[in-house]
């Protein structure tokens, strides 16, 4: 089963995020000891936004507003309205994006509406991933 | 305004649908793409939200709805008016969000599903006027039982239009209009909503080379225009059976 050295860091039967899992305890990113980092992550919308950017690297305010709105579709499948999306878009512009930009996690160009993920260490990426995936798991239980 | 020009008017609108998904292309994406609606897709992270679609009309977001809720588009026609079992909520939602969108390459089964939705609304309200054109009266043949139910169990005033290539049975509450050839390419329904104007709904589809192109609507003003187009021909030829 072991093809090449891609699975070198796999230790258990579970699929590990192998490509990013090559940090060791000695190279902890300084960000993980920074209050501002945790306060930036202290809102579900911001964690989800970062999680989405981990996939796309770059996006726009409009697209992120759509993704966060789509994320809130209830299990009953009810349609999310333009008003609900507009509300999220407003929160992005006035709160979430400036905060994330201030904490250095994203680069946000107000003029073009472009949002880009900053270069993040694997451990930081992992933490963002785990925070959202843990939340999804709780929601689906 | 003729039925054809009502389709042309709506064709000027631009619709754009974006499917956000992490996995395979869902059925609805394929359906929309093959029915003349521009559809794009954007990737979602695997641990993120369930796939959903965003609909924009003339550059404005109209709604965001889960893919699961809208799968099976036009595949679960109501068997009888009033019998809603087996009709997904998503189908109703799609009827709402995709109204006034001109689709191409629709088939009779799909038109029948949309027609059932309109007939069902008429049945539930139980009064008002329902006008239908199934192109030829012989097409109406398979619908006779449905319309007998509609006419006898409600106070609806029903008008059926079509080329007279078959003699339909007399049903109290149903008036037949065997019209001139002008309706031949059109499959159309107009229900005015009766005592509940919010239930007004209509459909116009034009047959071209075996496929249909058209739209459905919940807009009372558009429904009235469809009704008027049908009515005009009625008074012009006045060949009620």
């Amino acid at each position: 089963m072991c093809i090449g050295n891609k699975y070198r860091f796999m230790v258990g039967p579970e699929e590990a995020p192998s490509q990013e899992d090559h940090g060791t305890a000695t190279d902890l990113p300084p960000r993980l000891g920074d209050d501002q980092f945790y306060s930036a992550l202290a809102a579900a919308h911001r964690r989800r936004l970062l999680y989405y950017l981990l996939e796309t690297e770059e996006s726009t305010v409009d697209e992120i507003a759509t993704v966060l709105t789509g994320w809130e579709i209830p299990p009953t499948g009810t349609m999310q309205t333009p008003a609900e999306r507009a509300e999220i878009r407003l929160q992005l512009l006035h709160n979430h994006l400036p905060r994330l930009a201030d904490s250095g996690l994203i680069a946000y160009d107000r003029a073009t509406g472009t949002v880009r993920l900053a270069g993040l260490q694997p451990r930081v990426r992992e933490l963002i991933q785990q925070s959202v995936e843990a939340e999804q798991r709780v929601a689906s239980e | 305004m003729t039925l054809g020009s009502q389709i042309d008017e709506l064709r000027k609108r631009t619709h754009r649908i974006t499917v956000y998904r992490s996995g395979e292309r869902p059925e609805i994406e394929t359906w929309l793409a093959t029915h003349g609606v521009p559809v794009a897709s954007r990737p979602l992270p695997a641990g993120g939200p369930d796939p959903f679609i965003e609909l924009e009309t003339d550059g404005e977001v109209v709604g965001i709805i889960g893919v699961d809720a809208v799968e099976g588009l036009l595949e679960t026609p109501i068997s009888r008016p009033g019998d809603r079992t087996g009709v997904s909520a998503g189908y109703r939602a799609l009827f709402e969000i995709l109204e006034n969108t001109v689709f191409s390459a629709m088939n009779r089964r799909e038109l029948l599903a949309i027609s059932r939705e309109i007939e069902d609304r008429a049945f539930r309200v139980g009064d008002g006027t329902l006008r239908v054109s199934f192109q030829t009266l012989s097409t109406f043949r398979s619908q006779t039982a449905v319309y007998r139910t509609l006419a006898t169990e409600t106070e609806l005033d029903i008008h059926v239009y079509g080329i007279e290539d078959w003699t339909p049975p007399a049903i109290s509450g149903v008036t037949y209009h065997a019209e001139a050839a002008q309706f031949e390419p059109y499959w159309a329904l107009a229900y005015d909503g009766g005592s509940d104007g919010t239930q007004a709904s209509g459909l116009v589809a034009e047959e071209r080379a075996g496929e249909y192109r058209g739209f459905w609507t919940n807009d009372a003003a558009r429904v009235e225009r469809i009704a008027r187009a049908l009515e005009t021909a009625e008074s012009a030829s006045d060949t009620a059976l």
Side-chain angles (χ1 to χ4, degrees):
Chain A
M1 273 297 285
C2 196
I3 309 155
N5 58 10
K6 193 177 164 193
Y7 297 100
R8 199 150 39 119
F9 302 102
M10 266 184 70
V11 285
E14 287 177 13
E15 241 183 64
S18 53
Q19 286 142 319
E20 286 161 4
D21 198 16
H22 39 55
T24 67
T26 51
D27 56 48
L28 282 172
R31 202 191 286 279
L32 291 186
D34 177 10
D35 282 352
Q36 204 185 12
F37 172 65
Y38 294 100
S39 93
L41 292 188
H45 278 156
R46 292 198 289 275
R47 292 192 295 274
R48 288 173 172 186
L49 188 166
L50 291 170
Y51 188 79
Y52 176 61
L53 287 177
L54 288 176
E55 172 84 18
T56 61
E57 291 294 328
E58 188 180 311
S59 186
T60 63
V61 176
D62 283 325
E63 197 171 84
I64 292 169
T66 295
V67 169
L68 295 182
T69 310
W71 210 313
E72 290 179 358
I73 293 171
T76 51
T78 326
M79 186 174 76
Q80 299 293 94
T81 64
E84 284 161 315
R85 181 180 174 277
E87 172 62 30
I88 287 180
R89 193 173 178 277
L90 218 61
Q91 289 173 20
L92 283 172
L93 291 173
H94 296 299
N95 177 10
H96 303 317
L97 292 172
R99 260 178 194 254
L100 290 169
D102 285 350
S103 66
L105 292 164
I106 62 165
Y108 164 45
D109 184 337
R110 278 166 207 269
T112 60
T114 311
V115 180
R116 191 174 297 117
L117 192 67
L120 299 177
Q121 292 98 336
R123 294 230 162 182
V124 174
R125 297 174 75 100
E126 216 171 275
L127 190 71
I128 293 166
Q129 269 165 351
Q130 287 167 351
S131 70
V132 171
E133 282 158 17
E135 180 208 353
Q136 293 286 93
R137 197 167 306 167
V138 171
S140 65
E141 270 164 13
Chain B
M1 208 177 186
T2 65
L3 295 173
S5 58
Q6 293 184 45
I7 295 174
D8 289 340
E9 184 194 57
L10 283 175
R11 283 185 73 207
K12 290 179 196 139
R13 288 193 173 190
T14 52
H15 297 277
R16 192 187 150 79
I17 287 174
T18 310
V19 180
Y20 286 80
R21 57 178 165 91
S22 57
E24 279 179 13
R25 189 180 217 228
E27 206 182 308
I28 179 77
E29 189 175 329
T30 310
W31 191 89
L32 291 165
T34 54
H35 288 74
V37 180
V39 55
S41 73
R42 292 287 294 152
L44 284 176
D50 291 333
F52 62 86
I53 65 176
E54 176 193 50
L55 177 78
E56 284 170 274
T57 301
D58 293 336
E60 294 287 317
V61 174
V62 182
I64 296 172
I65 189 161
V67 163
D68 281 353
V70 299
E71 284 287 58
L73 173 70
L74 310 177
E75 283 184 359
T76 48
I78 305 160
S79 52
R80 284 161 55 92
D83 176 12
R84 305 201 67 81
T85 48
V87 180
S88 73
Y91 174 74
R92 316 294 317 285
L94 262 190
F95 195 90
E96 299 296 328
I97 69 167
L98 295 179
E99 66 160 340
N100 303 324
T101 304
V102 176
F103 293 106
S104 60
M106 286 197 288
N107 60 35
R108 283 179 173 236
R109 182 178 53 77
E110 291 161 348
L111 292 181
L112 209 54
I114 301 158
S115 303
R116 282 290 174 274
E117 173 65 26
I118 297 167
E119 289 155 1
D120 182 68
R121 289 184 188 193
F123 181 85
R124 280 178 294 131
V125 174
D127 55 44
T129 306
L130 174 65
R131 299 177 190 280
V132 302
S133 161
F134 290 129
Q135 302 179 290
T136 57
L137 289 182
S138 61
T139 312
F140 179 73
R141 189 174 198 155
S142 59
Q143 307 304 312
T144 312
V146 168
Y147 276 79
R148 196 183 294 280
T149 305
L150 273 173
T152 55
E153 295 182 20
T154 69
E155 301 296 314
L156 287 166
D157 179 18
I158 300 170
H159 294 263
V160 177
Y161 303 80
I163 304 226
E164 191 184 1
D165 59 348
W166 177 66
T167 305
I171 301 171
S172 169
V174 176
T175 311
Y176 298 102
H177 306 275
E179 304 303 341
Q182 59 172 313
F183 285 146
E184 190 168 10
Y186 296 105
W187 179 306
L189 284 87
Y191 173 55
D192 64 6
S195 52
D196 182 356
T198 65
Q199 295 299 302
S201 45
L203 162 71
V204 178
E206 181 182 10
E207 186 178 7
R208 277 188 186 182
E211 291 183 339
Y212 292 83
R213 185 184 74 165
F215 68 93
W216 62 85
T217 186
N218 298 303
D219 176 344
R222 286 190 198 282
V223 173
E224 201 189 319
R225 267 184 273 167
I226 301 169
R228 211 174 300 150
L230 291 167
E231 233 177 338
T232 308
E234 173 188 331
S235 53
S237 58
D238 201 20
T239 52
L241 292 177

